[in-house]
Structures are given as C-alpha cells and as structure tokens.
C-alpha cells in the first residue's frame, strides 16, 4: 500500500474518540486526517481541546491538528464515529448522504432496516445491506458496530448458535466504568459499591442487538434470529473490561467440551483475510477455574480477542460460561476499525 | 429478664467471630461469657489474640477476657460458631454431644438430616428436627444458618414461592470481600478487577441450600422444595454486602406489582414475636431504578433487612430482580443470633 | 429545653447539605425548618429535589418539606450553609445583613477580617470578632468553619502548638472523594489511581487557614500565628475520611511520649460545656502501628473526633504523625453544627 | 550478538520473579535458562509451579522449564534475584562465592560495604566496589538495586543534588499493592481505605539508601551523601506505581523552572550507551497540573522512566514536587536488568 487512506474521527475528544486516535496511530492502512468535535472544541488544536486520558502518549501528529466543528465540511472518505447518541443520529446521516463511509460506534442507526450491525467474524454477509442503503442515501452509508457488551456476548454465542442452535440465554453483566464515557459515573457512586443499573436502555439493547447480529440478511431485509435473551446489568468499579455471566439453552445437546471446542475453533473472514486489527483467535478459551478476569485478560491480542472461561454444564439451562470483552477496544473503537478494514478488503469504500 | 444468658463464641478472633462480639455487645438477652479460638490464641487476652478490624471499638469487657483453646471445656449453654469449616464439623458435634446449643454459621452440618438450616422468618417449623437430633446426640444440638448469599436469596424467593410457586431460578452473585474471611482475597487479585469464581463449592451451596430451606420437615425428615436453581458467582471489590441478580420462573402468573406486594408484605415469627434482632420488615422493596446498592443499603435495620429492587417482568423467565444482603450480619453472625433468639423464644434452649 | 430552635439549610440538596439534614435529624436543640437550594430545586419537595446518597434513610419529616429558592425570604434564626462557593459569598452576606446567624461551611468569608474561622475546641475566643462584624452588618453575622482538611490539621497541631510552640509544619494529604462534592471526581480518574492535585486553591487554604485559627483576636483584629506551613495534596479512592501525614518542627523539645500526652489530653469548651455534638475526646491517640485508617477510624465519636497515630520522633523535623478526620462530618456539617451549639451556649444567637 | 547470555531467575514464581520473566522474554542480550524457587516448586514445570498473574501471556519457552530448588547447582553466569529477604542473604552470598554475578532486587546486601547499590544513570562509578568485593568472595559478586520507592526518589533527587546541592528532603509515599508481593495486602485492609504504614523497615530504607546511592565510592569505601531525609509511608489501593510527594531543601537557589530543566535534561550512561532497557529520558517532566498519576504514567517508556510533576517553589523547603515510579519494573525487575546490561557493557560479567 503506497499511500494511507485518510480518515476522520467524529467525537474526537471523547472517550471513544481518544481510543480511535490511539488505535489508529500506527495503522498500516488508515491515517487520521480530520478531527471533529463539538463547537466548544472547534478551532482549537486537538492538544488544547482534549484532556487525553489514555496511558499511551497522545500522538504528536494528531495533537497539533485543528479540531473542526459539527457544521464544517469533511473530506476523508472514512469517518469513524465516537459521537454521543444525542448528536450522532443526524450528523452521521448527513455525512452518509454526502458520500462518506460512516463507521460508527453510536447506537442511533444500529437497528435500522438497511444498516449492518457488523461483527466481521460473525455476520460479514450483512454488508449486503449496503446496496439497499446506498440506494436510499444516493451516496455513502453508515455501518455500525454493536453495543460494547453485545459484541462480547454475540461473539461468545455465535459459535454455540452455529454448532448447536441457540434457543435462549440469560446474561448478567458487570460493566466497566469506561463504558459510561467521561466523566461518566461519579466516583462516590462506585466507591465500595456496585450499581445494579445502567441508563440509556442498556438491557433492551443487549436483548435486541444479538438477534439482529445472529440473524440473516436476505432478499433485501434483515430477519432476526429466533432466540430469547434476558439481561440484567451492573456497573462495577473496574476501569476497562466488561464481564458477563451467560446461561445458554441450546437446541441440540452439547457437553462443556463440545462447547469449548466450538468456541476455541471459531474463525471468520478477518482471520482468513488477515485484516490488520484481527485477533488470530477471536475467542480465547481459558481453562483456569477463575478466569477470565478484566485486569488480566482484557488486553489479549491488543484488546481485540474475547475471553471465555468457566464453560460448564448446567441443570437449568444447558451451559454456563463467563465472557470478557475490552469494552472500549473490541467493544467500541477497535470494533469500528475492524469493520472499516473489512469494508476496504471487500472494496466497499467510497 | 433479670439475668442475661451466658454465651460462647467459637472462632472468636476470625471475621465472623468479631461480628458476633460486635453484635452481642449490648444484646438484651445474651452476654458473651466465653471465647474459643485456635491453640495459637489460647491463653491470651482477646485484645492480644485478635486484630480487631471492625469500625466500632472492641468492647472493653470482652477485650480483657482470656481466650480458650479447642480442647478446653466450655460452660455457656449457647455456643455461637464462627469456626472455619476445616474444624467446625468435629468440634461442633462434640459440643452438641456435651449438651450445648451450638448455633453455627459453619457449613459442615447444614445439610445433615436432622439439622435445621434455619431462617426464622422462613422455616421456623424446621426446628421440629431438633427433637430427632437430640435423640441422636442424647443432649444438645446444632442449628445452622445458611451460606451468606443463600440467606439473601432464600429470603427474596420465599415470598414469591409462597404466593406464586417457584419453578426455577438463576442467580448471579457479586459477592463482597468480607465473605472470604480474613486475610481472604489478596488485594492485587481484586484491584481494578472482578473474579468470576469463589472456592469452597460456593455455587453448589447456593443451588442446594435454598431447596432445603424452602422445603418441609415432616414425619421426621426433610423434603426439599421442588424447584431448580442455577448459580454463577463473582467476587467484587466491595467490603460488605452481597448483590444478586435473580431470574425467577413462577408456577402462577405474577406481575411486577404482585411480586413487590408479596415481598414488601413478608413477615414472620421474628416480627410477630418482636425478637430483639428482628428487622421490622425483613425485605425492603426499593423503587429507585438503581437500587439496592451495597454501600447505601447494606446497613438497613442494622444490617438485618434484605433489600430488593428492580423487580420487573421478564420475557425469558417471568420476573427479574436484584437482592442485597449484608453478608456478615444478616448473612452470618446476625443470622445466628436471630436463630438463638428464636430458640429461646420457643423454649428450646438447653 | 421546651422548644427546638428552627434552622435552615442552605444548599440543602448537595453533599454537605445532606449531611446537615442527616446530623440534625435527632438534634436535641435544633430542628430543620427551612431548606434552600438552587432555582432548579425550588418549589419541589425535598424528596423530589434531592438524590439522597447517604446510607441512613432520608428523614420523613424533611422529605416532604418544600425547597425554597435563592430569592425567597427565610425566617429561621440559624442558617447552616453548605452552599457552593460560587454562590455562597453574596447569599450568606445578604442573610447576615437580614439578621440571620449564618453558620457556614463555605470558604468565601473564612479569611475576612471580622469573621471567626471557628473550631470550638481551639479558638472559641475568636467569637469576639462577632461584635465587630455585627457593627458592620447592623444585624446578623457569618461564622465559618475551616476547610475539611484544615480542621483535622489544626486540631492535631493546636495541642502541640500550645505545649511546645509550633515553628513549621509540612503536611501531605490523602483526601477522600466526598470532599469534592457530588458528582465531583469522575470514577475513571481514580480507578486504580491517585490524583496528586485538588483544585480550588486547596493547598493555599491549607497553608493559610491554620495560621488564622491558631492566631489571636485582640483589639478588634486577627493576628495570625507565627509559623510556616507547606502542603501537598492528593485525591485517593476513599469514600470518606481525609488522611494527613504531618511533619512538625517545634520551638521546645518534645518526645513522642510528650506529644501523645498533649494530644490525648486535649479538651476544650465543647467538652466542658458538654455540647450535644462534642466528642468526649476531640483527639483519639492510637497506638497500633498502622492506624489511623479511614475505614476503621473515621466514625469515632460519630465522626466528630480526629484520630492521630504514628506519633514518632524525626531527624529532620522534630515529630512525625498521621491524622485522620471525617471530612464531611467533623470536616464540614458536623463542624458547623458544633459551631452553632457554641453560639447558643454563649448566648450569641440572634 | 550471535548468542544470548544465559541467565537464571531466583525466586522465579514470586511477583518480582514473574516480572523478570516477562521483561526478559524478548531481551536482545539475555535469555532465561534457569529458574529457581522454593522446595515446594522444585521439580515442577514453571507452568505448574507458578500462578502467573501478569496481563501478558506466560512465555511458552519458560512455561515448560523445570524449576530447581535452593540446593541445586546453577550454571548461568547471571542470576537475577527476586528472592524474599528471608532467604536472599545466604543464597545470594553462596552464589556469588561460586562465581555468579548475582543481580539482586533483595534488600539483604544493599547496604554492605563492598556492594554497589546501583542506579546506572546515577552512580555507575559505584561499580568500582566490585573489585573490592571480588577479592572478598574470590569469585563472583552481588550487585543490588534500591528499594522500589527509593529508585524513584533517588532518580528525582539526583539531578537536583548535582545542580543545586541537596541539603534535606521529606518524602511521603503512596505505595502500590504490588510492592508487598503476593498475596501481600489483604483486600479487606485496603477496600475504601488507606494504610499509613508499611512493614519491613520501609521508612528506614527510604531514609538510608539514597544517601549511599548519591554518595561516593572512593579509596575502596563508600561515603554517604551529606543530606537528611525523612519519610512517611502509606499503602493505597493502586495495583502498580508508587507516588511520592517530595519536599526538597537545596544548598543553592533554584526556581521551579531551573529544577524542571535539570530534571528533564538528566541523562546517564544507559542513555549514552543505548542499553536495551534504558529509557530515552530517565525522567519525564510533566506540565499538566494533576500529573503524574499511576494509571496514566507508570508505563512510560515501558515502565522504565520516572515521571515528575507539580514542580513548584515552596516557602518552607525550597521546592515541592511529585514523583512516580513503576515499582515492579523500574523499581524492581527492570532496575536489575538495566544493572546487568551495564555490567555487560562494562565487561564486568564473569
């Protein structure tokens, strides 16, 4: 590749925006060329506009770039969106209409009829919806990645669904602080505490999105998968890494060993095509009885692998397991970047 | 009551032992008269033998008492046991055989055929098993309270089972550090972390004990209740207070409002008899969408009430709810003290 | 006392305001009669206006009171102020001019020429400044308590200064989250972290206020004490309780034993007069090598005692010690209530 | 370099031992060839013997190596020691006598008359003591690195001492949990808490070691530097990274800007020789008012740089500043590895 593809980052000063900039710093295909944030930041250098809160240094090249505002015209073909949902809906639609490929982490368009809710290992065929969408927009498109918990959940369920048929699942989440953005959760609220609630319709998203993801796109329309989900969510005092306790009822019988084999062997297009951000193994199956753990496992394969452990048989459902996903990498910015890599690989960029 | 009943505390220097001493400091009926700990502590004053780790001062009267060792004879009729399970089995049996009422928090005898696994609000009739047990021992007896998570779970399930019939339930726990005793969990293991595992057969206990508790004792034998439980346990960085996400399938239909009414109205013998440690309402039903929370709710009614919140209908099970129990008060020492109060009220003390 | 004195709480919905309401719930002399908060809350019931974040229940009587706004007239003679410093200056001055005794925790008037910066055990004679102040206002007055760290620091230094003469001191604070109010510090900022900084001129306040407190009021003016202080502040992930490492250089020689004697024997007017909120011993000197600790010691005497430990001799300064103060009780609302009790005891209420 | 130098790791299963193995995994000069641990681990594979607690995977090559016991003969010329001080004294002396270069993190030999207490940037000339030591042992030698806090402190003080002459300093530490090894601090002891104490003579080490490090080795003997230190230590709930508040009195006048220039410009032999583990800048001077912070700054330059911030003038001392060191990398295993690199560079290996 002789020249990198210029990309923009929407919502560049926020928590997800910062992750985009961190993960794109040495990307082999993409290069940050434009930053967009709110009017409060527009016109400032990124260094001034942003309080960088990641543990790696703010890349110098990006630090000196000037931040644009919501009304400014953009030119990069790919626009990564870490926008807040209060503004993402309209702004992303406008950019799609102007011909950009908007690769978004925001929730606004995820469930739309012609928008892929994409996990490249799981449902790359959902990209067929882009032909429908482009007819509507007349130009560009929006591609979304799932909610930060849902990515881990859907990746853990996909191999089980393929191999054994998923009938229903219950999931209880223990979600990290970074999932709430910044400033997000007040420290007093989680000091020596757990909050059994997350706003913004978190449980509803977790119950709905996996059915679209594991469903089919055919004949111009999405058909959701036929299983029932129930979710109960919690915020815990962990910086990064969403832990999930999953109970799964399957249509055909699977021992714990069967399930572990299906999970560990799971591979998809990102692995076949060796996309730059693809983990070698999307799912790491851990045998130690007390894993996965956020601090020890969230950074596997640069935060792009989902860890699964404690796969065991269950008398009520059929299987129980724990899953862990790095919520701001595989669960947000890294997910969108992998989506963009797949778009390029498939020749779908504008 | 002109004179208080002398009581002993077994395992007096441990985490549960300290709670016994704290909660008994101003008890209207009972008075700490004997302390027993391991050989390492025997012969020392309690002040010397114990590193007091509670936020209220060590009671002066107890501080100067001399700790006895495992082989020493005891004389108090009631012996509260906070012993570690590695020694509780044999020592408690020996004391029962010598005529003591052993009111134990240890797990060893909980599932025995003639030992009540008692929650005074839920199954006071299980005390009928004492007649059987005393025939066996020829003298005293052991009465146990459930595992620290199970008390909260069983108290939340009991009113639902009574009103609507429980068919099955799944529970995911977020358990506090104090549940592991002292030193317990290494700080490095929970710093910025969650551990999806608790040793000692925690999940098995949570799946088994509620069936005994909500079952019947009749014709000299226990019959476990007829429902299925599945548990998935976690250790989180909270000092005190076990949080539980519960999914419940009921035999007859119950709306969220029905369930809340059944929970809030739950009362039992401790309330009728106004036992000294009884909460006025065993279950506090909270309406705020983000409650219960350990730091804010664990101390309700001196830590003796279980808090329940987020009672909502569910498409997979029938109901979802959150429960919280102070694991070292209602879930351990306070539970045993309430058990002893019921024993006295019923005239069952030796 | 046949009838309680009605009091108002300014900034009633904030973190300090909630502590006022909690601590005044069963006060023998005072009764909450008026609540004032911002225009956003005015007209609502306190229950609606406030997200109660304390671990004791919101008192029912207060919950149903209607919150007034900044422009509303108030009638209670005592107004406790937990106002934010952005509004406290003007509003407190206006209420003083209207004849109220404003007993404030806000920083705005602390260093004013005729305003007592009061710790009843330390400088009750500073109340002489009220005569001067009332001449200025023509009616009521403002009495302030120190910054939440300074109260602990000044109470630990006062007995040493009296007995041995303080020449200089360095103090490093490890301050609790509640010191920043609510929402205050973002949880992501303190997760697995320490912040070596507190805004709002915290170090300057800690270096200046103790000199006024330990100084004299004579001939109508304050003369600050003649010692030098240096402070370095940190925010740590603790809910309540400011810990301070203090180095002190004294004018006359004092062994560690001398210092401990002076600290442990410290008493003042609140103890002599047995004011309702006065701790029996203002300073608890702890001998265990690893105390004081926030979680174990902050609640001594209902949070009104300062704990001191690790008093040891030092080759660079002369003494080193650790002090701990409950920052929202003795360091804020409790301090103001004790101030008001002294005002009443001395017959200085309007 | 055609072939790597084989090295051993003593205390291989412990917290520091694991860091050695992690940091040596891809070292350009050294290769782990031998592992030694207690008798309990001897004979097992490292994978079996060790509970790996770092967030990077256990290197496969090392995992399958067999662990040796304390009595087994070793052959690698360099032996890195992460031994506990209870056994390090004798075992390290024995290995030195057998001709090994023992590069130790243990405290036992640090203050010995002919043992360098080495920070390669600060006192590489102290390696002259090895000639004396080798005469004594007749063969190999022990080289030590300082206490985990002292490395950060001495590196922050060295440039100030060189440029302006250090007269005295006070330091208050906020030390991470990993500094206590594993299992180390009980989680209940630090939950919502600070412990103002660290055992093992921590304050004494911090007050003594910097004087040796910044002193001279001449005419066959060490002369400690002529300044006074006072330390006050705390354990805080942070996984890695010791924070220090430092007050420094200098012999000649230095503005904050002067001090920052001296600190930022600090370089030493590791930088000149471009040793593999050397940070490009040993000290990162941060300008943001709230830095350094453990979570954000401990990993600078792979954890080998010390971060300094809040450099400001002070009325009591002359300067105040904050320093941060990654206690298990620059403060332990990484320090020893850099020491070994300097030994090789200087041709001092056996």
């Amino acid at each position: 590749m002789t020249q990198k593809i210029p990309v923009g980052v929407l919502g560049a000063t926020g928590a997800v925006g910062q992750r985009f900039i961190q993960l794109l710093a040495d990307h082999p295909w993409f290069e940050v060329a434009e930053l967009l944030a709110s009017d409060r930041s527009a016109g400032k250098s990124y260094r001034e506009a942003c309080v960088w809160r990641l543990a790696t240094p703010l890349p110098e090249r990006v630090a000196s770039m000037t931040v644009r505002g919501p009304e400014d015209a953009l030119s990069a073909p790919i626009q990564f969106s870490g926008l807040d949902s209060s503004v993402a809906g309209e702004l992303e639609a406008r950019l799609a209409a102007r011909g950009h490929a908007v690769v978004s982490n925001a929730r606004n368009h995820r469930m739309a009829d012609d928008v892929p809710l994409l996990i490249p290992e799981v449902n790359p065929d959902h990209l067929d919806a882009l032909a429908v969408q482009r007819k509507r927009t007349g130009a560009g498109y929006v591609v979304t990645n799932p909610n930060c918990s849902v990515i881990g959940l859907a990746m853990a369920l996909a191999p089980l669904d393929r191999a054994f048929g998923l009938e229903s699942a219950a999931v209880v989440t223990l979600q990290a602080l970074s999932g709430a953005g910044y400033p997000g959760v007040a420290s007093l609220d989680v000091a020596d505490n757990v909050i059994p609630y997350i706003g913004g319709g978190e449980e509803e998203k977790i119950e709905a999105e996996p059915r679209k993801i594991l469903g089919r796109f055919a004949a111009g329309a999405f058909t959701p998968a036929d299983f029932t989900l129930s979710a109960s969510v919690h915020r815990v005092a962990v910086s990064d890494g969403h832990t999930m306790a999953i109970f799964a009822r399957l249509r055909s019988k699977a021992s714990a060993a069967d399930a572990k084999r299906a999970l560990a062997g799971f591979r998809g297009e990102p692995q076949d095509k060796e996309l730059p951000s693809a983990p070698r193994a999307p799912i790491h199956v851990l045998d130690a009885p007390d894993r996965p753990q956020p601090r020890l496992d969230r950074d596997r394969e640069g935060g792009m692998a989902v860890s699964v452990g404690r796969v065991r048989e269950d008398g009520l459902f059929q299987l129980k397991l724990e899953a862990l996903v790095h919520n701001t990498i595989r669960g947000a910015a890294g997910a969108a970047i992998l989506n963009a890599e797949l778009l390029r690989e498939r020749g779908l960029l504008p």
Side-chain angles (χ1 to χ4, degrees), chain A:
Chain A
M1 180 172 279
T2 49
Q3 212 178 335
K4 292 189 183 178
I5 300 170
V7 303
V9 177
L10 312 176
T13 59
V16 174
Q18 294 190 17
R19 275 284 181 203
F20 273 122
I21 287 163
Q22 181 192 49
L23 297 176
L24 291 167
D26 298 304
H27 197 278
W29 295 355
F30 304 138
E31 184 172 64
V32 174
E34 288 173 333
L35 305 172
L36 181 143
S38 70
D39 284 325
R40 208 180 46 235
S41 300
K44 297 183 187 169
S45 73
Y46 186 66
R47 189 196 312 282
E48 288 171 295
C50 163
V51 181
W52 185 255
R53 282 182 214 88
L54 295 173
T56 55
L58 168 55
E60 274 307 312
R61 201 180 59 80
V62 174
S64 57
M65 290 173 58
T66 301
V67 178
R68 298 167 195 219
E71 305 303 323
D72 292 341
L74 299 172
S75 61
I78 301 178
Q79 295 291 335
F80 287 110
S81 169
L83 291 169
D84 190 81
S85 60
S86 61
V87 298
E90 194 190 353
L91 183 48
E92 291 178 3
R94 200 192 325 146
L95 289 167
R98 287 186 188 158
H100 297 276
V102 179
V103 185
S104 173
N105 181 61
R107 69 164 184 255
N108 307 60
H109 299 290
R110 282 183 195 151
M111 300 302 286
D113 280 351
D114 55 10
V115 173
L117 183 54
L118 184 66
I119 301 177
E121 285 92 341
V122 173
N123 60 355
D125 51 305
H126 285 204
L127 287 175
D128 293 350
L130 290 186
V132 180
Q133 191 187 154
R134 289 178 112 162
K135 251 180 238 163
R136 174 170 59 84
T137 66
Y141 56 79
V142 174
V143 166
T144 63
N145 57 262
N147 167 281
C148 50
S149 291
V150 170
I151 295 184
L153 177 63
M155 287 180 68
L157 292 179
L160 300 177
D161 186 39
R162 286 185 191 174
F164 314 108
L166 182 66
E167 187 180 312
S168 64
V171 58
V172 173
T173 68
L174 292 79
Q175 298 185 222
L177 303 169
S178 59
Y182 187 88
V185 183
S187 55
L188 270 177
D189 283 340
V190 289
D192 195 14
N193 211 10
V194 164
I195 307 172
Y197 178 73
I198 293 173
E202 188 78 3
E203 291 182 350
E204 290 73 13
K205 283 184 273 183
I206 295 176
E207 294 175 353
E209 294 184 8
R211 296 185 62 223
K212 176 169 180 179
I213 295 164
L214 295 178
R216 284 171 311 114
F217 183 83
F222 287 107
T223 310
D226 182 26
F227 53 74
T228 310
L229 284 181
S230 178
S232 188
V233 300
H234 303 75
R235 187 74 71 191
V236 294
V238 165
S239 60
D240 289 306
H242 288 358
T243 301
M244 285 170 274
I246 304 173
F247 301 81
R249 183 168 293 125
L250 304 173
R251 294 181 195 277
S252 52
K253 198 167 156 46
S255 68
D258 294 338
K260 288 164 78 166
R261 211 157 23 234
L263 289 158
F266 183 62
R267 295 290 182 281
E269 199 166 320
Q271 286 71 43
D272 295 343
K273 302 281 177 60
E274 297 185 355
L275 298 182
S277 301
R280 277 163 310 165
I283 297 177
H284 289 208
V285 177
L286 311 180
D287 284 320
D290 60 353
R291 302 288 277 268
Q293 295 179 15
R295 194 161 71 88
L296 298 178
D297 296 309
R298 63 191 168 206
D299 288 325
R300 286 175 176 267
E301 304 222 26
M304 288 298 286
V306 169
S307 298
V308 167
R310 303 206 73 218
V311 181
R312 55 213 195 281
E313 290 152 33
D314 180 49
L316 176 55
F317 285 80
Q318 187 173 337
L319 283 176
K320 291 194 276 202
L321 60 151
E322 294 283 321
L324 173 77
V325 61
H326 192 304
N327 57 297
T328 64
I329 299 180
R330 184 68 203 216
I337 293 171
L338 188 64
N339 283 355
E341 290 169 4
L342 182 64
L343 289 166
R344 177 188 170 281
E345 175 66 29
R346 291 214 174 185
L348 289 167
L349 290 182

Coordinates of all heavy atoms in Angstrom, one line a residue, chain A residues 14 29 38 67 71 101 107 123 129 137 154 163 204 246 249 253 261-262 281 287 321 327:
Chain A
G14 N -13.8 12.7 22.9 CA -14.5 11.9 23.9 C -13.7 10.6 24.2 O -12.6 10.4 23.6
W29 N -3.1 0.9 7.2 CA -3.9 1.3 6.0 C -4.5 2.7 6.2 O -4.7 3.4 5.2 CB -5.1 0.4 5.9 CG -4.8 -1.1 5.5 CD1 -3.6 -1.6 5.2 CD2 -5.7 -2.1 5.4 NE1 -3.7 -2.9 5.0 CE2 -5.0 -3.3 5.0 CE3 -7.1 -2.2 5.6 CZ2 -5.6 -4.5 4.8 CZ3 -7.7 -3.5 5.4 CH2 -6.9 -4.6 5.0
S38 N -17.4 19.0 19.3 CA -18.4 20.0 19.4 C -17.9 21.4 19.2 O -16.7 21.6 19.1 CB -19.0 19.9 20.9 OG -18.0 20.4 21.7
V67 N -9.2 21.0 15.4 CA -10.4 20.3 15.5 C -11.5 21.1 14.8 O -11.6 22.3 14.9 CB -10.8 20.2 17.0 CG1 -12.2 19.5 17.1 CG2 -9.8 19.4 17.7
E71 N -20.5 21.7 11.9 CA -21.0 22.2 10.7 C -20.0 22.2 9.6 O -20.3 22.5 8.4 CB -21.6 23.7 10.9 CG -22.6 23.8 12.0 CD -23.8 22.9 11.7 OE1 -24.2 22.7 10.5 OE2 -24.3 22.3 12.7
A101 N -18.2 7.0 4.1 CA -18.5 5.8 4.8 C -18.4 6.1 6.3 O -17.3 6.4 6.7 CB -17.5 4.7 4.4
R107 N -25.2 4.3 18.9 CA -26.3 3.4 18.8 C -27.4 3.8 17.9 O -28.3 2.9 17.5 CB -26.9 3.2 20.2 CG -27.7 4.4 20.8 CD -28.5 4.0 22.0 NE -29.3 5.0 22.5 CZ -29.1 5.7 23.6 NH1 -28.0 5.4 24.3 NH2 -29.9 6.7 24.0
N123 N -21.0 -11.8 11.1 CA -22.1 -11.6 10.0 C -21.6 -10.7 8.9 O -22.2 -9.7 8.6 CB -23.3 -11.0 10.7 CG -23.0 -9.7 11.4 OD1 -21.8 -9.3 11.4 ND2 -24.0 -9.0 11.9
A129 N -26.5 -5.4 3.0 CA -27.5 -4.3 3.2 C -27.0 -3.0 2.7 O -27.8 -2.1 2.5 CB -27.8 -4.2 4.7
T137 N -29.6 6.5 0.4 CA -28.8 7.8 0.6 C -28.4 8.4 -0.7 O -28.0 9.6 -0.8 CB -27.5 7.5 1.4 OG1 -26.6 6.6 0.6 CG2 -27.9 6.8 2.7
A154 N -22.3 -11.5 21.7 CA -22.7 -12.1 20.4 C -21.5 -13.0 19.9 O -21.7 -14.0 19.3 CB -23.0 -11.0 19.4
A163 N -23.2 -24.1 16.0 CA -22.9 -25.6 16.2 C -24.1 -26.3 16.8 O -24.4 -27.5 16.5 CB -21.7 -25.7 17.1
E204 N -32.3 -3.3 27.2 CA -33.0 -3.5 26.0 C -32.1 -3.7 24.8 O -32.3 -4.6 23.9 CB -33.9 -2.3 25.7 CG -35.1 -2.2 26.7 CD -34.7 -1.7 28.1 OE1 -33.5 -1.3 28.3 OE2 -35.5 -1.9 29.1
I246 N -23.1 -15.8 31.5 CA -24.0 -16.2 30.5 C -24.6 -17.6 30.8 O -23.8 -18.5 31.1 CB -23.3 -16.2 29.1 CG1 -22.7 -14.9 28.8 CG2 -24.3 -16.7 28.0 CD1 -21.9 -14.9 27.5
R249 N -29.3 -21.9 26.7 CA -30.1 -23.2 26.4 C -30.0 -23.4 24.9 O -30.2 -22.5 24.1 CB -31.5 -23.0 26.8 CG -32.4 -24.2 26.6 CD -33.8 -24.1 27.2 NE -33.6 -24.1 28.7 CZ -34.1 -23.2 29.5 NH1 -34.8 -22.1 29.0 NH2 -33.9 -23.2 30.8
K253 N -27.9 -31.1 22.0 CA -27.1 -31.3 23.2 C -25.6 -31.0 23.0 O -25.1 -31.3 21.9 CB -27.2 -32.8 23.6 CG -26.8 -33.1 25.0 CD -27.3 -34.4 25.5 CE -26.4 -34.8 26.7 NZ -26.2 -33.7 27.7
R261 N -14.7 -26.6 22.4 CA -14.2 -26.8 21.1 C -14.8 -25.9 20.0 O -14.0 -25.3 19.2 CB -14.5 -28.3 20.7 CG -13.4 -28.9 19.8 CD -13.4 -30.4 19.9 NE -14.7 -31.0 20.3 CZ -14.8 -31.8 21.3 NH1 -13.8 -32.3 22.0 NH2 -16.0 -32.3 21.6
A262 N -16.1 -25.7 20.1 CA -16.7 -24.8 19.1 C -16.2 -23.3 19.3 O -16.0 -22.6 18.3 CB -18.2 -24.8 19.3
A281 N -7.0 -15.4 17.1 CA -8.1 -16.2 17.6 C -9.2 -15.3 18.2 O -8.9 -14.6 19.2 CB -7.7 -17.3 18.6
D287 N -8.8 -22.1 30.6 CA -9.1 -23.3 31.4 C -9.0 -23.1 32.9 O -9.6 -23.8 33.7 CB -8.2 -24.5 31.0 CG -8.6 -25.1 29.7 OD1 -9.8 -25.2 29.5 OD2 -7.7 -25.4 28.9
L321 N -21.3 -20.0 31.2 CA -19.9 -19.6 30.9 C -19.8 -18.1 31.3 O -20.7 -17.4 31.5 CB -19.6 -19.8 29.4 CG -20.5 -19.1 28.4 CD1 -19.6 -18.9 27.1 CD2 -21.7 -20.0 28.0
N327 N -14.1 -3.3 26.6 CA -15.3 -2.6 26.1 C -15.0 -1.3 25.2 O -15.8 -0.9 24.4 CB -16.2 -2.1 27.3 CG -15.4 -1.3 28.3 OD1 -14.5 -1.8 28.9 ND2 -15.8 -0.1 28.5

